[in-house]
Amino acid sequence: MHDAYRLLLERECPSWLYPVTMGATTVWERWDSMLPDGSIDPGEMTSFNHFALGAVVDWIHQVVGGLRPASPGYGRARVEPRPGPGIEWAEISLLTRGGPVTVAWRIPDGELTLEVGLPDGLPADVVLPDGRVVEVAGGGHTFSARLTRRVSRRPRAGARRATRPRRRTPRAPRPR
């Protein structure tokens, strides 16, 4: 997760934020559709509104914002924000068939403050970082929970996560 947040917040090309630093309000087809001097990349494939790389937006919505469907068509919602380094607050909203769902969280002093807004009749499971799962329905709900792990303000430059040794695939027995 730490690496995902580090990649999300990178500003040099290639990265998700490079186009933003160049004034983008959409997802580009190529990381370098606009060059650092502001000129358009002369190569082919230079769309400035391209969904193919948009999967990161879904990740931001579901992981950073914490909102995902718990049943098809948001008949039930799941709210489980996963704060990471470099982001101290987030607010998202989604217009479901039942009405708008809103999620907002902040981290003042190592404690997550979470606000959830649901349309009438829409149930949701709210998963807090301390492990509690709270079932709620329609209306506004506010929660607080201590973070079970420290979320630093910025990822350390050059930080790497520990890797586990690869698990070896067992060999099939040799025929005799």
Side-chain angles (χ1 to χ4, degrees):
M1 181 68 71
H2 187 85
D3 286 343
Y5 271 88
R6 184 180 52 77
L7 289 171
L8 176 67
L9 298 175
E10 175 63 47
R11 293 177 178 269
E12 299 295 318
C13 185
S15 72
W16 297 108
L17 286 183
Y18 172 75
V20 175
T21 65
M22 298 300 293
T25 58
T26 58
V27 177
W28 297 349
E29 183 174 15
R30 297 170 49 145
W31 298 116
D32 63 349
S33 287
M34 184 179 291
L35 302 174
D37 66 4
S39 63
I40 306 302
D41 190 310
E44 296 179 26
M45 300 184 339
T46 305
S47 165
F48 286 99
N49 193 5
H50 199 77
F51 182 75
L53 299 177
V56 74
V57 176
D58 186 55
W59 183 85
I60 292 168
H61 201 81
Q62 292 192 22
V63 176
V64 178
L67 179 61
R68 66 182 59 200
S71 68
Y74 278 90
R76 181 178 196 89
R78 181 176 179 94
V79 177
E80 184 179 6
R82 298 185 62 193
I87 299 179
E88 297 174 3
W89 64 273
E91 294 179 5
I92 62 165
S93 64
L94 177 70
L95 183 58
T96 69
R97 65 183 178 190
V101 176
T102 60
V103 177
W105 61 261
R106 287 173 174 45
I107 306 174
D109 302 322
E111 184 167 287
L112 178 80
T113 300
L114 174 64
E115 296 176 3
V116 179
L118 301 165
D120 288 338
L122 179 67
D125 300 313
V126 178
V127 182
L128 299 167
D130 60 10
R132 288 181 290 154
V133 179
V134 182
E135 293 184 37
V136 296
H141 308 276
T142 302
F143 305 91
S144 291
R146 293 296 275 159
L147 292 173
T148 55
R149 60 184 157 49
R150 187 169 185 270
V151 176
S152 63
R153 295 191 185 277
R154 288 199 183 111
R156 290 188 332 250
R160 294 177 174 247
R161 67 178 173 84
T163 56
R164 283 188 241 149
R166 286 191 177 167
R167 199 171 97 194
R168 297 186 118 186
T169 307
R171 289 186 180 169
R174 289 184 179 173
R176 293 184 188 218

